[in-house]
């Protein structure tokens, strides 16, 4: 489908598929939107790359109206706290022992410890 714009490809899709894809775009569910567009457009000669371009254009069209998924924190302190808590709880559950952070907010070697 060379030479056809994403808008032209969009127009080739049935109205129900366009509504469903736009719903996914507005929910910031990019992969679901691409899948819906690709599955419906494949019978009309649309490639996966074409479907990606169509969905990208829909993202550009809706812009700030999209309910963006919040990103995970990337700072080292936040990541370390989440990893230490998650890993500690998982290990404690596996070993069937209680889980306890002596000082959950800041590292503190002098914090009281549980004694066996």
């Amino acid at each position: 489908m060379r030479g056809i714009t994403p808008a032209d490809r969009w127009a080739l899709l049935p109205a129900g598929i366009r509504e469903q894809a736009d719903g996914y775009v507005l929910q910031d569910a990019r992969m679901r939107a691409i899948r819906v567009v690709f599955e419906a457009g494949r019978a009309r000669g649309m490639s996966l790359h074409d479907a990606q371009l169509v969905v990208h254009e829909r993202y550009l069209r809706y812009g700030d109206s999209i309910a963006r998924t919040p990103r995970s924190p990337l700072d080292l302190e936040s990541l370390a706290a989440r990893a230490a808590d998650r890993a500690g709880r998982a290990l404690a559950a596996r070993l069937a022992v209680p889980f306890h952070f002596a000082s959950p907010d800041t590292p503190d070697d002098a914090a009281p410890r549980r004694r066996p």
Side-chain angles (χ1 to χ4, degrees), residues 33 40 103 105:
S103 179
D105 297 325

Side-chain angles (χ1 to χ4, degrees), residues 14-112:
I17 297 298
R18 292 193 308 257
E19 287 178 23
Q20 187 177 15
D22 273 349
Y24 284 137
V25 168
L26 289 168
Q27 295 172 28
D28 198 20
R30 182 180 303 266
M31 297 308 288
R32 289 181 181 157
I34 291 171
R35 180 179 178 196
V36 166
V37 169
F38 176 63
E39 287 178 351
R42 187 172 30 190
R44 293 164 174 80
M46 190 181 297
S47 70
L48 179 58
H49 181 71
D50 294 333
Q52 291 171 322
L53 292 174
V54 167
V55 170
H56 176 73
E57 289 294 321
R58 303 311 291 170
Y59 266 79
L60 293 177
R61 181 188 185 288
Y62 285 111
D64 291 337
S65 299
I66 298 170
R68 299 288 180 173
T69 306
R71 296 183 184 252
S72 296
L74 296 178
D75 62 284
L76 184 58
E77 185 177 327
S78 297
L79 291 173
R82 290 177 69 193
D85 182 64
R86 188 175 297 151
R89 290 187 189 285
L91 181 59
R94 182 178 177 126
L95 298 174
V97 297
F99 179 77
H100 170 72
F101 260 135
S103 179
D105 297 325
T106 57
D108 184 0
D109 289 339

